[in-house]
Amino acid sequence: MRSGDARREILHAIRTNLESSPPDRLSAPASSPPVPLSVPERGDVVKHFTEQLAAVGAQCTTVRSETEAAAALARILADAGARRVVGSDAPLVQRILAAVGNDIVIDRLERLSRDELFACDAGVTTAQWGIADTGTLVLESARERSRLLSLVPPIHVAVLSVRCICESLGDALARLSVASHAITFITGPSRTSDIELTLVVGVHGPQTVHVLLMEGP
């Protein structure tokens, strides 16, 4: 059996066994943007998500427009002393980075060598979904080139729409694109306690995860 066929069968089995995931909530094709959640009142879900973000050590800033997002990103980078930033190929990320200005060097992933990527201070991506129950970000490879940017630089900034916050893991799994060959789940900064059970942050990935939560359309 080909690996692509096996993966499709696994995803199908997961969705079938998730009682909370009705069949009419499957994700859009990879060529389409994520379908926003159609829930009349989202306040409780968003509040729960931000509380869980804080609980896992991530930071969050709520913004209402791309202009506010650029201003917030500029503050985050300035406070961290970041001088070199790499952005994903998502149009939203590129527009926000273009508005940041200041003395920050902005790179794109496709222009960087491996060594240059490791020299970047921050990576900026979008997140396709957020999971309120755990404060988790979900990044799909079919939507943008983002995986290395979210794992290699010491700071990861993710832009997420409040309309794309799911209540649970099952809800998020039901919306994933089958075209994504890699799906990254991020729950706070990287951490490990492998050495003498002492918790260390930032060993296998970013030391800081900051979410720009967009309330706009």
Side-chain angles (χ1 to χ4, degrees):
M1 180 182 293
R2 293 179 299 178
S3 60
D5 294 337
R7 183 177 180 281
R8 281 192 292 271
E9 287 194 13
I10 292 172
L11 284 176
H12 176 71
I14 291 173
R15 290 168 177 161
T16 300
N17 285 279
L18 289 171
E19 297 179 356
S20 61
S21 301
D24 61 344
R25 299 175 74 178
L26 296 178
S27 60
S31 59
S32 302
V35 179
L37 304 181
S38 55
V39 179
E41 180 54 58
R42 307 232 3 108
D44 290 344
V45 175
V46 174
K47 181 175 183 291
H48 187 40
F49 177 69
T50 57
E51 289 173 346
Q52 291 302 108
L53 276 178
V56 298
Q59 303 173 45
C60 182
T61 300
T62 301
V63 295
R64 292 172 293 181
S65 65
E66 292 182 19
T67 301
E68 286 191 13
L73 178 59
R75 290 193 299 271
I76 293 167
L77 298 176
D79 291 345
R83 289 291 176 265
R84 189 171 187 179
V85 181
V86 57
S88 75
D89 59 351
L92 175 60
V93 169
Q94 291 303 312
R95 292 195 301 270
I96 290 173
L97 284 174
V100 168
N102 296 329
D103 298 324
I104 296 173
V105 177
I106 299 174
D107 290 308
R108 295 186 63 162
L109 179 61
E110 62 268 22
R111 299 174 183 170
L112 298 181
S113 66
R114 183 184 63 180
D115 291 340
E116 289 173 330
L117 178 61
F118 273 87
C120 289
D121 300 307
V124 183
T125 73
T126 65
Q128 280 64 59
W129 310 105
I131 303 176
D133 281 351
T134 55
T136 298
L137 299 172
V138 184
L139 281 62
E140 297 187 61
S141 62
R143 310 296 187 184
E144 67 178 318
R145 296 181 62 193
S146 60
R147 192 159 188 255
L148 286 177
L149 279 66
S150 69
L151 297 175
V152 173
I155 301 170
H156 175 213
V157 180
V159 185
L160 173 68
S161 169
V162 296
R163 299 188 300 162
C164 293
I165 298 177
C166 307
E167 294 187 26
S168 65
L169 173 61
D171 194 6
L173 288 174
R175 300 172 184 283
L176 297 180
S177 169
V178 295
S180 292
H181 65 268
I183 299 169
T184 306
F185 294 85
I186 300 171
T187 307
S190 167
R191 64 192 69 203
T192 183
S193 56
D194 291 343
I195 303 175
E196 297 182 355
L197 300 180
T198 300
L199 181 64
V200 181
V201 176
V203 175
H204 305 301
Q207 300 171 357
T208 302
V209 173
H210 202 124
V211 179
L212 295 180
L213 197 57
M214 293 196 68
E215 292 184 332

